[in-house]
Amino acid sequence: MAIKTTSIAQGGDGGRAVAEEKKGFRLNVFTGLIVGVLGYLFGHWMGNAIAGGYQQVVGSGQNDVAILLGFIFGTIGWFLGLGILNYPIQKMAGIEPPAEKYEYEPGVMKYFRYTLDNKVVGIQYLFGMLFYFFTAGLLAMGIRTELLSPTNHIWGPATYLEIVGEHGTMMMMMMTSVVMGPFGNYLVPLMIGSKRVAFPRLEAAAFWFTPAAYIILLSALWQGGFQSGWTGYAPLSIQQGVGQDAYLFSFALLGFSMITSSINMTATIINYRAPGMRWSRLPMIAWGMITVAFTMLLSVPILIDGLYVMGLDRSVQTAMLYAGHGGSSFLWENLFWFFGHPEVYLLALPGFGLTMEILPVFARKPLFGYRTAVAGMVGVAVLSFFVWQHHLFQSGMNPDMRPLFMLTTELISIPTGFIYLVGLGTLWRARMRFDVPMLFMLAVFFNFLFGGITGVYVSDVPVNVTVHGSYFVMAHFHYTIMGQLIFAVMGAIYYYSPLYFGIKLNEKWGKIHFWTMFVSFNSTFLPLFVLGLLGMPRRVFEYAARLQHLNQWVTISSYVLGLSLTFFVITFVWQLAVTRPKSPLNPWQSRGLEWQVGYPIPPGNFDKIPVILSGPYEYGDPNALPVADLKPVEPSAVGVSSGGEI
Amino acid sequence: MTTTESTSEFTQAEGRSHVRKIVGIWLVVAIIADYFVWFVYGPHMPPGAMTDQARGQQFDIKVISVLAIPVLLFLWTFGFYSIAKFRGGRDRPDGYYVKGNVKTQTAWYVITATLVLFLAGFGTYELIVPAGAGGGEGPSPIWTPSTPVKLVVQVIAQQWRFTYRWPQFGGMETTSINLPVNTQIQFDVTSIDVIHDFWAYQLGVKADANPDVNNVAYAKTLQLGRFTVRCDELCGIWHGAMYNYGNVVSQQQFYNWATQMQKQNATVTKLLPKFALTYTPSYTGAGGGYYPSGDPNGTTA
Ligand code: HEM
Ligand SMILES: [Cu+2]
Ligand SMILES: [Cu+2]
């Protein structure tokens, strides 16, 4: 299939910072907040007016309809106040919206506005995600503090579970976007030689869903929280107070965010590749993004559907998830995990994309087995849809299907293993440079190994009987997500700071951050495998006295981990805002196209659509062509107009 | 794909010598590690050997460990060896230009696929033969014990306690649990409110307690001793406090305990709903009252 990527498709100013042509006053975060609050109040009033009789406890004001309508109108207000809806409303009203006009905007105010510049959106995402990550991380410290003692309680059981639920939900919903947001949006157009993304409005809207989801999720704490954990099993989640509405609504909002950003990502990668950017030359980050985007597009709607059903059960008192009234508590478990399992892989794939992108640069070698790497990612993405019931082995649902789900789950280890083959092959006879980003990438492989290997334990049904629902599973997935995804993201921040901000973060501080984080992470999570095997269930505020020493060890380690991350934030912000250590251009001597445009990256990325001449990882080949011709005379003259060739 | 050496710097002989060293180191550590895993730690691995099912799980953990640990060690050996040997620097040339190697890649695919398929087959065998390996098998299990079930225990979970009903002892309900040794036992696990999970750690039994569902799990007791029962599915505020202890005792002791409890509880048992596989909670859900389920399932006791 040859997709014509003519220069017309790439032209225009669509991807650039666009001012909706209003001098002086422009809509921003604050107008968004104001209109959002007004929307919430309106929705809440309306909910009480139309469904006052549906109060959970009469006279308590705990009316789920009012809360949910408040959230709905609040979010619409937020979008209106930010100006996101101007364009579609004008279009629908038949008014031609003002032409998009490029206008370079200095200063930081542009980050607090709805903007169509993919690089601004990337930065918004980067800081948003770090903010969400640190909020949830702080909650984790709260969890560990409670577990210092098996019997002395700091929070008490209700607050403890609220913290557990907030931590888990915040992490699991936000971190889905921790790579696509800051790195996918920013880098993919650069890497594939495009001046813009396909749907800048969707991309920008995707970001603006996240602060709304964040605020709404946290607002649960003022409403008594929710004690169902991030998995929200019914009927517990139906029984809970209105805090659960915040859970379901914010999770759904983030679902919409994932869908919108995936649509943009898929369309961009398929249609906006420069001439010569064949599928076989596509950078690993782009492969990570397109596999994740497909996984999101197919799985997230199921989550939203499940949450919608939960919302109905809670607000207008249907009984779809409630046993004994015609519904079934198995329904939610199925809907949730049909999304939930692909989700865990859509947390892993971007991490691998980043790792395989960065590894060759510091190994000074080509990526070993490019096709194997792609097959690994595609294989994981596809298989991830066929394994969800491994979370339900002991649930009593479909027990005869257990051998099948055991098989499919274990099969996933094969494509996952491909990625290790690629990693090992790339290190083989390399000339490794141990800069900070490389340390993080090596740690990704080290950490994920524990996650992957324990995955084989949890997927063996007899072993699963012992470990299901215990700290063993908790350690398993923290190794895969924190140990893999977050380490990859940290490495990528060090790696891309020169490109994003023109600064090179201090090596020594970076190494201090790396080593403290690496050691304390392992020291926090390795003992959790043991705790699980010794019989400690998850999400408990009380545990056997004989497990106290291990738990204290873990808690202390987690404090060190927290300090290490705090150290990162302080040094990062300090260097970014105060010292700004200037970076040379392309300090890592990367071949990546994204590094060839110079700093600051010109607004449209490229003056002319580049012509891609060779793959991005040709290190060690003295005869390799440069990755692209940035000043092609006339694309068609070079005879590579068929950029999308497979 | 390039398989030949591109520069004289990277000779085949040198490559082979690296391989030999890596494999040599790996073999030594892997054999030592496996010895320790199987013979030293193996017998103490969780969840112990109090039942047939627990013993099976322990065996599975051992088998997976002796397979997984060499894999882990191979990657470690390779990784640390590379970090030690394959170093470069700003002033040094780039690494070995190689983009693939058919033999290595094929070997990798074949080995990982074999391991994985073996594990899936092994896991299936270990699931079916010991009658579901102690896990919840839903209302109509197809993998049942080879010897007849001697004792049925119904576990009723509710926020936030477990109670046990004994159909062979007049349908009495107790708050504690004792089990006879050397006995094939069937657990019927259900809930009268939200989802809980009956986890008897040392027995190797784990089954979700779902409202309106009878989740069956089997275990054959082999050793005397105390076991822990914990709720293993988040069920609300006091989930963390939802645990108690039970004992595996001699058959005579068990019989004495059960008949005595039956006598002692007779007045209460009369007030209970008839024994059924599932129950519906009382209208308010408060106070733990429950009724026979309106569900057709519930009347087949
Ligand atoms: C070799 C690959 C893997 C296998 C075979 C595997 C297998 C499993 C199985 C069987 C469970 C269910 C355990 C239980 O609750 O009884 C599980 C739980 C989980 N896994 Fe994995 N896994 C793998 C990789 C991953 C990756 C890459 C991630 C995420 C990046 C991940 C995240 C999770 C999470 C979040 C849970 C638990 C969710 C919860 O209960 O809250 N796993 N895994
Ligand atoms: Cu899963
Ligand atoms: Cu519980």
Side-chain angles (χ1 to χ4, degrees):
Chain A
M1 185 180 58
I3 298 163
K4 271 251 189 277
T5 43
T6 62
S7 48
I8 294 163
Q10 301 258 347
D13 283 340
R16 300 181 179 179
V18 166
E20 300 249 304
E21 199 40 32
K22 238 175 252 150
K23 280 277 159 244
F25 179 72
R26 283 156 70 187
L27 298 173
N28 58 35
V29 147
F30 304 105
T31 48
L33 272 176
I34 292 166
V35 185
V37 169
L38 293 177
Y40 176 84
L41 293 175
F42 170 75
H44 196 272
W45 166 81
M46 191 165 94
N48 274 325
I50 63 177
Y54 281 2
Q55 285 181 6
Q56 276 198 335
V57 178
V58 178
S60 68
Q62 298 247 319
N63 179 341
D64 297 281
V65 179
I67 298 276
L68 283 171
L69 282 181
F71 289 154
I72 291 173
F73 282 98
T75 309
I76 294 174
W78 166 248
F79 271 50
L80 271 177
L82 275 160
I84 299 178
L85 300 179
N86 292 358
Y87 183 83
I89 290 175
Q90 283 166 334
K91 277 281 189 193
M92 277 187 284
I95 308 164
E96 200 41 46
E100 296 165 351
K101 201 165 141 260
Y102 169 69
E103 185 184 329
Y104 178 73
E105 195 190 336
V108 292
M109 209 35 218
K110 60 176 175 288
Y111 298 115
F112 295 93
R113 259 190 217 120
Y114 169 67
T115 147
L116 304 188
D117 184 339
N118 71 297
K119 291 195 281 296
V120 175
V121 175
I123 303 288
Q124 288 172 332
Y125 255 117
L126 179 64
F127 287 95
M129 286 296 147
L130 285 175
F131 193 72
Y132 310 146
F133 175 75
F134 281 97
T135 311
L138 204 61
L139 293 163
M141 300 293 116
I143 301 177
R144 283 315 317 174
T145 305
E146 165 71 41
L147 294 174
L148 271 171
S149 158
T151 44
N152 283 328
H153 301 308
I154 293 175
W155 304 113
T159 314
Y160 175 71
L161 285 183
E162 285 167 29
I163 297 175
V164 170
E166 287 280 343
H167 162 76
T169 312
M170 178 83 71
M171 286 291 193
M172 289 305 273
M173 66 186 214
M174 293 301 191
M175 292 305 110
T176 53
S177 306
V178 76
V179 176
M180 191 178 286
F183 300 105
N185 288 330
Y186 195 109
L187 294 170
V188 162
L190 271 170
M191 292 182 138
I192 63 174
S194 167
K195 288 190 172 191
R196 53 170 292 177
V197 295
F199 302 123
R201 287 190 181 77
L202 284 186
E203 177 199 62
F207 171 75
W208 289 107
F209 275 113
T210 67
Y214 174 83
I215 293 170
I216 291 174
L217 182 65
L218 275 188
S219 77
L221 288 175
W222 280 264
Q223 307 266 13
F226 55 95
Q227 280 132 22
S228 68
W230 83 283
T231 46
Y233 279 6
L236 180 63
S237 52
I238 309 298
Q239 193 190 60
Q240 292 286 305
V242 289
Q244 196 81 39
D245 295 320
Y247 158 89
L248 74 93
F249 193 81
S250 58
F251 215 158
L253 269 190
L254 216 96
F256 285 113
S257 163
M258 286 190 250
I259 292 176
T260 41
S261 85
S262 304
I263 292 175
N264 172 49
M265 208 36 75
T266 318
T268 306
I269 295 175
I270 293 180
N271 298 318
Y272 282 78
R273 279 168 297 130
M277 179 50 83
R278 309 196 184 109
W279 288 107
S280 60
R281 286 175 180 164
L282 201 63
M284 281 297 135
I285 290 188
W287 274 113
M289 289 301 103
I290 196 166
T291 46
V292 168
F294 268 112
T295 315
M296 281 186 181
L297 284 176
L298 293 175
S299 66
V300 174
I302 312 294
L303 170 74
I304 296 177
D305 178 34
L307 292 166
Y308 175 56
V309 170
M310 181 190 282
L312 290 180
D313 270 16
R314 290 182 50 79
S315 58
V316 294
Q317 286 152 30
T318 54
M320 291 179 263
L321 306 179
Y322 200 90
H325 298 75
S328 163
S329 51
F330 286 158
L331 176 60
W332 169 258
E333 289 184 320
N334 265 322
L335 291 174
F336 181 78
W337 285 116
F338 188 85
F339 154 78
H341 188 85
E343 149 154 51
V344 307
Y345 274 98
L346 61 85
L347 291 163
L349 285 169
F352 282 131
L354 288 177
T355 309
M356 292 192 287
E357 183 70 37
I358 296 176
L359 199 65
V361 179
F362 292 93
R364 309 310 298 169
K365 275 194 63 189
L367 190 74
F368 183 86
Y370 180 93
R371 275 156 207 267
T372 305
V374 174
M377 296 215 242
V378 174
V380 163
V382 171
L383 272 177
S384 70
F385 284 94
F386 300 91
V387 301
W388 79 96
Q389 283 207 359
H390 65 211
H391 296 272
L392 304 166
F393 279 148
Q394 318 307 338
S395 68
M397 175 201 321
N398 265 355
D400 313 335
M401 296 291 273
R402 284 177 298 175
L404 176 71
F405 282 102
M406 172 160 37
L407 175 70
T408 52
T409 305
E410 287 179 352
L411 283 181
I412 285 212
S413 312
I414 299 177
T416 315
F418 285 8
I419 289 162
Y420 270 83
L421 172 67
V422 171
L424 293 193
T426 307
L427 296 188
W428 173 244
R429 305 181 85 179
R431 287 276 160 75
M432 275 184 252
R433 297 176 182 172
F434 297 98
D435 298 289
V436 177
M438 179 64 161
L439 297 179
F440 276 101
M441 298 309 138
L442 292 172
V444 164
F445 279 103
F446 181 90
N447 294 339
F448 188 80
L449 195 53
F450 284 107
I453 284 195
T454 52
V456 177
Y457 286 77
V458 284
S459 54
D460 181 88
V461 180
V463 178
N464 186 275
V465 174
T466 286
V467 296
H468 169 72
S470 77
Y471 263 86
F472 190 91
V473 171
M474 220 280 270
H476 155 74
F477 70 78
H478 278 82
Y479 260 97
T480 57
I481 301 173
M482 175 91 193
Q484 191 257 23
L485 176 67
I486 301 300
F487 272 73
V489 166
M490 287 294 163
I493 292 177
Y494 281 92
Y495 181 71
Y496 280 117
S497 289
L499 186 69
Y500 280 31
F501 310 113
I503 64 172
K504 186 156 175 294
L505 297 175
N506 185 301
E507 276 285 308
K508 198 162 125 223
W509 289 352
K511 284 189 174 150
I512 295 175
H513 166 216
F514 169 77
W515 283 109
T516 48
M517 181 170 163
F518 178 71
V519 172
S520 58
F521 165 76
N522 279 286
S523 158
T524 304
F525 288 97
L526 263 184
L528 294 183
F529 287 119
V530 181
L531 279 172
L533 284 172
L534 291 177
M536 181 162 164
R538 294 167 63 183
R539 297 157 164 174
V540 295
F541 66 101
E542 259 176 36
Y543 54 87
R546 70 196 157 93
L547 302 178
Q548 183 171 10
H549 290 298
L550 267 177
N551 269 298
Q552 286 173 332
W553 175 277
V554 170
T555 299
I556 308 273
S557 304
S558 75
Y559 291 159
V560 178
L561 183 55
L563 285 179
S564 169
L565 287 164
T566 312
F567 177 78
F568 162 74
V569 176
I570 293 171
T571 55
F572 181 57
V573 172
W574 177 255
Q575 295 176 76
L576 194 62
V578 185
T579 57
R580 296 197 65 84
K582 196 166 177 321
S583 168
L585 284 180
N586 193 1
W588 322 110
Q589 296 159 317
S590 165
R591 278 179 55 85
L593 181 54
E594 75 273 24
W595 291 97
Q596 315 305 328
V597 291
Y599 179 84
I601 301 169
N605 296 347
F606 306 96
D607 296 336
K608 279 185 172 171
I609 299 300
V611 172
I612 311 297
L613 303 175
S614 70
Y617 310 117
E618 301 293 315
Y619 301 99
D621 177 6
N623 307 320
L625 291 173
V627 71
D629 180 357
L630 292 178
K631 304 212 166 9
V633 191
E634 174 63 63
S636 53
V638 198
V640 270
S641 59
S642 50
E645 221 159 71
I646 299 181
Chain B
M1 281 178 195
T2 325
T3 49
T4 52
E5 309 291 343
S6 60
T7 45
S8 53
E9 226 187 317
F10 296 99
T11 62
Q12 291 220 355
E14 204 202 338
R16 268 190 235 109
S17 133
H18 287 312
V19 172
R20 260 188 313 241
K21 282 185 206 144
I22 291 174
V23 171
I25 301 172
W26 169 63
L27 268 180
V28 174
V29 282
I31 289 170
I32 297 175
D34 267 0
Y35 173 85
F36 273 94
V37 167
W38 190 267
F39 294 105
V40 181
Y41 302 123
H44 307 289
M45 273 186 185
M50 201 180 260
T51 63
D52 219 10
Q53 281 66 18
R55 180 176 282 179
Q57 290 160 27
Q58 188 187 50
F59 179 68
D60 273 40
I61 294 182
K62 273 162 66 177
V63 170
I64 295 179
S65 299
V66 293
L67 290 176
I69 283 171
V71 173
L72 179 96
L73 289 173
F74 178 74
L75 292 162
W76 278 8
T77 316
F78 192 107
F80 287 120
Y81 185 90
S82 309
I83 290 174
K85 293 274 176 174
F86 305 143
R87 307 177 79 98
R90 290 263 177 283
D91 40 353
R92 299 203 47 198
D94 284 351
Y96 178 31
Y97 183 75
V98 56
K99 299 169 88 176
N101 180 306
V102 177
K103 255 198 244 157
T104 334
Q105 282 169 268
T106 317
W108 182 281
Y109 305 150
V110 172
I111 293 171
T112 51
T114 316
L115 265 177
V116 162
L117 291 176
F118 166 77
L119 280 173
F122 170 75
T124 306
Y125 178 84
E126 286 287 296
L127 168 67
I128 293 176
V129 173
E137 295 209 79
S140 40
I142 60 170
W143 300 310
T144 50
S146 48
T147 55
V149 170
K150 287 281 166 51
L151 179 67
V152 177
V153 185
Q154 181 174 53
V155 180
I156 302 170
Q158 61 187 291
Q159 287 168 322
W160 288 274
R161 69 198 318 176
F162 291 108
T163 53
Y164 307 93
R165 280 194 84 171
W166 309 78
Q168 289 144 311
F169 295 88
M172 68 159 174
E173 184 171 19
T174 62
T175 51
S176 59
I177 179 171
N178 285 306
L179 298 172
V181 77
N182 288 323
T183 308
Q184 182 64 61
I185 297 164
Q186 172 179 336
F187 294 96
D188 284 357
V189 183
T190 189
S191 160
I192 51 174
D193 40 49
V194 302
I195 301 179
H196 303 264
D197 183 287
F198 173 68
W199 181 16
Y201 173 71
Q202 289 86 344
L203 302 184
V205 170
K206 188 174 282 169
D208 274 11
N210 302 285
D212 250 23
V213 175
N214 176 32
N215 195 5
V216 178
Y218 299 101
K220 180 162 192 248
T221 50
L222 300 176
Q223 292 175 354
L224 300 175
R226 202 159 105 109
F227 59 88
T228 318
V229 173
R230 282 215 76 145
C231 178
D232 196 38
E233 207 66 79
L234 182 53
C235 57
I237 301 182
W238 296 103
H239 164 63
M242 191 166 159
Y243 57 87
N244 55 27
Y245 301 93
N247 292 290
V248 177
V249 296
S250 75
Q251 297 190 346
Q252 188 57 46
Q253 270 174 315
F254 170 77
Y255 185 77
N256 293 345
W257 172 79
T259 43
Q260 195 220 325
M261 289 306 275
Q262 188 178 353
K263 237 182 278 151
Q264 190 181 314
N265 287 350
T267 46
V268 186
T269 310
K270 271 198 307 224
L271 306 173
L272 288 178
K274 205 165 136 325
F275 181 86
L277 292 181
T278 63
Y279 307 92
T280 301
S282 56
Y283 178 68
T284 58
Y290 56 89
Y291 298 110
S293 174
D295 188 289
N297 257 340
T299 53
T300 50

